[in-house]
Amino acid sequence: MTSESQEHGAARRPVEDEVDVVAEETQKPAKGEKKEKKGSFWKELPVLVVVALVLALIIKTFVVQAFYIPSESMENTLLKNDRVLVNKLVYHTRDIERGDVVVFSGVDSWDGEFQMEEPSNPLAAFFRWVGTAFGIVPGEKDYIKRVIGVGGDHVKCCDSKNRITVNGTPIDEESYLYPGNVPSDKFFNITVPEGRLWVMGDHRSVSLDSRSHTGDAGGGSIPVSQVIGRAFVIVWPFNRATSIDIPDTFSQPALQALGGSVPLVAGFGLAVPLVLVRRRWKGKRR
């Protein structure tokens, strides 16, 4: 037997090894395993959906939210049915600036520029909420406007050349003002209260903005606390996708001279009399 195996080549493996190989090759998964895998996917799907919605809600609440543009008040910067992304973190790192396009809540203050029917049932209300959260449908009490003046600014319409002035400096609005519109067909002259903003739409002839609320508290200005965030990019439709930048006219140094330094000026204004009083008091004690 030894000679025969040598004649036919290398020595054969033990029988036990052959049995193991056959067992491994012929072993098949049990009938119920595939069904169990398929079943587990459908069981996990609702969990995945819930987790995705929770994560999307967290992002929407604290970071970035999509908004639907429901009216013509910001044309041609933003067109009706555009979708924009709004940065909710930016104003935790810097102040709101003139020229920013902001989304803010008008609940309990401004009437809507458009009217929506109330949902007929809880299911429709839920889908309305989801659609608003993801920028598919508009929020009835959300507004989008451009910031013209911040707290402490003196905003006036208009100068001899029919230009809006901020702190006595005219702003050139040609780059974003709707073609054929004048800067304003309504006269206004306001010093924006601290903690508030003077906002206007780029399509001035149809925009219901601060000019339409001069009889309200704050003289038409809105509270900074109502600002949801800064619109920084158009994401839909794709052929209009672009960033929403601050126009160059708002970078004029003269604009910053008053509004940005009001707290500092006020601080010095209070500090000087206190220092003089302190010196006099010290002089009397001597």
Side-chain angles (χ1 to χ4, degrees):
M1 190 158 179
T2 304
S3 60
E4 289 178 2
S5 61
Q6 290 175 348
E7 289 176 2
H8 287 86
R12 298 180 61 189
R13 290 186 302 173
V15 175
E16 290 82 2
D17 286 352
E18 292 181 358
V19 173
D20 288 341
V21 172
V22 172
E24 289 173 3
E25 291 177 349
T26 58
Q27 189 175 8
K28 294 181 179 179
K31 291 182 179 180
E33 284 189 10
K34 287 185 178 179
K35 291 182 180 179
E36 186 178 345
K37 287 182 179 179
K38 289 182 180 179
S40 65
F41 170 76
W42 291 109
K43 288 178 182 178
E44 292 173 0
L45 183 60
V47 177
L48 292 174
V49 171
V50 170
V51 170
L53 285 174
V54 169
L55 290 175
L57 181 60
I58 292 172
I59 293 171
K60 170 252 179 189
T61 303
F62 299 106
V63 185
V64 174
Q65 183 177 353
F67 278 88
Y68 175 103
I69 306 303
S71 72
E72 299 87 359
S73 70
M74 280 296 293
E75 291 179 340
N76 280 330
T77 303
L78 303 173
L79 303 182
K80 187 176 181 180
N81 300 324
D82 279 355
R83 272 73 163 180
V84 299
L85 291 184
V86 171
N87 186 336
K88 293 186 168 185
L89 293 178
V90 63
Y91 296 133
H92 294 286
T93 60
R94 73 165 175 85
D95 293 334
I96 299 173
E97 296 179 3
R98 306 172 193 86
D100 278 348
V101 174
V102 297
V103 171
F104 61 95
S105 172
V107 173
D108 299 327
S109 57
W110 290 13
D111 292 329
E113 293 179 319
F114 67 99
Q115 300 296 324
M116 293 180 65
E117 294 183 4
E118 288 297 321
S120 56
N121 56 67
L123 184 62
F126 171 76
F127 282 111
R128 160 86 71 83
W129 176 82
V130 172
T132 301
F134 292 97
I136 300 171
V137 298
E140 187 174 2
K141 286 292 185 177
D142 293 332
Y143 297 81
I144 185 164
K145 304 292 180 189
R146 189 180 299 279
V147 176
I148 304 299
V150 297
D153 282 345
H154 179 208
V155 186
K156 182 180 178 181
C157 176
C158 287
D159 67 2
S160 59
K161 295 183 179 179
N162 203 30
R163 298 171 299 183
I164 290 174
T165 62
V166 179
N167 301 325
T169 302
I171 54 175
D172 180 4
E173 302 189 277
E174 186 178 355
S175 65
Y176 59 84
L177 198 65
Y178 186 80
N181 276 191
V182 295
S184 181
D185 55 3
K186 297 178 181 177
F187 172 82
F188 56 86
N189 186 354
I190 181 174
T191 297
V192 183
E194 290 297 332
R196 302 181 75 91
L197 307 167
W198 181 270
V199 296
M200 301 176 73
D202 290 352
H203 193 171
R204 300 286 160 79
S205 62
V206 300
S207 177
L208 300 177
D209 48 41
S210 289
R211 299 168 299 162
S212 302
H213 296 273
T214 52
D216 297 353
S221 60
I222 65 164
V224 169
S225 60
Q226 293 291 86
V227 173
I228 296 168
R230 175 179 180 261
F232 67 98
V233 65
I234 301 170
V235 293
W236 182 264
F238 291 136
N239 63 346
R240 282 183 40 76
T242 185
S243 60
I244 305 171
D245 302 319
I246 298 177
D248 291 339
T249 190
F250 290 100
S251 63
Q252 297 179 78
L255 294 181
Q256 317 301 326
L258 180 64
S261 62
V262 165
L264 185 61
V265 172
F268 275 113
L270 291 172
V272 170
L274 288 175
V275 170
L276 293 175
V277 169
R278 183 170 176 270
R279 284 182 177 178
R280 286 184 180 180
W281 181 71
K282 280 189 173 182
K284 288 180 179 179
R285 291 187 63 183
R286 288 177 184 176

